[in-house]
Amino acid sequence: APGPAVQQAAAQAPTSWSAEALEDLLAPIALYPDPVLSQVLMASANPQEVLDAGNWILENQGLKGKAMDDAAAAIGFTPPVRALLQFPDTLDMMCRELGWTTELGEAFIADQAGVLDAVQRLRRQAKDVGNLQSSEQMKVETETQEGQEVVVIKPAEPEVVYVPQYDPVAAYA
């Protein structure tokens, strides 16, 4: 559950995103596997840390895996950003598109349920048109969670997480 500061921010922030605006905002990442998507959403709440991590990874390219995570933890990066360090292309995209990252974070803080609903609408849409299906890299499953049908995207192998590259316009058409 979010802490009091997040809840307070959510209470003060206007819920100014329509369903369509949230779908536009989430289209580039809605088909990411759940473990990566959740880290992107949480990390986007602190765009400055995302930018700092993007710069840090450029200066520490020799570090990989646990060594990178230990070094990132030692300088105080939060767990979501540390997780994204393992996905440098995703982190790089978030840095290059900092305005988008900032807006995503604002939407996630203000309307977490709306953001997650938009992800589900996009996933159902991509699934319905045949652009979201299980592959060697990921499992796409429909589950019932809290009485709702949700499309879940998991890595096919838990130790190897694949982040898909796709055209956000074509994926849902």
Side-chain angles (χ1 to χ4, degrees):
V6 171
Q7 290 169 344
Q8 185 179 7
Q12 295 167 349
T15 314
S16 58
W17 288 272
S18 66
E20 293 78 18
L22 284 174
E23 288 175 19
D24 288 347
L25 192 60
L26 288 150
I29 59 169
L31 305 185
Y32 282 14
D34 293 352
V36 179
L37 177 64
S38 62
Q39 304 302 340
V40 168
L41 292 173
M42 289 186 287
S44 69
N46 189 342
Q48 183 59 55
E49 185 185 18
V50 169
L51 195 58
D52 293 345
N55 291 326
W56 182 83
I57 200 171
L58 292 174
E59 296 161 11
N60 293 277
Q61 291 183 344
L63 294 174
K64 300 282 181 239
K66 183 167 174 19
M68 180 176 18
D69 187 56
D70 290 347
I75 60 169
F77 284 124
T78 60
V81 168
R82 284 171 38 209
L84 287 178
L85 288 169
Q86 306 299 328
F87 302 96
D89 291 347
T90 300
L91 184 62
D92 182 55
M93 178 271 295
M94 292 177 76
C95 290
R96 281 185 287 110
E97 303 292 340
L98 200 61
W100 170 84
T101 300
T102 302
E103 188 177 349
L104 180 66
E106 290 168 354
F108 185 64
I109 290 168
D111 187 8
Q112 194 170 345
V115 165
L116 298 176
D117 287 347
V119 166
Q120 287 303 313
R121 286 193 303 276
L122 289 164
R123 286 180 172 185
R124 280 193 295 274
Q125 204 174 325
K127 202 169 177 229
D128 290 347
V129 297
N131 290 330
L132 178 61
Q133 46 202 321
S134 291
S135 68
E136 288 179 21
Q137 291 92 5
M138 59 190 195
K139 283 189 218 159
V140 178
E141 300 169 345
T142 304
E143 297 178 356
T144 303
Q145 296 177 359
E146 297 173 20
Q148 302 282 337
E149 261 201 10
V150 294
V151 178
V152 178
I153 304 174
K154 301 176 187 166
E157 297 176 40
E159 60 282 349
V160 181
V161 180
Y162 167 78
V163 179
Q165 303 286 315
Y166 61 93
D167 176 341
V169 177
Y172 309 104

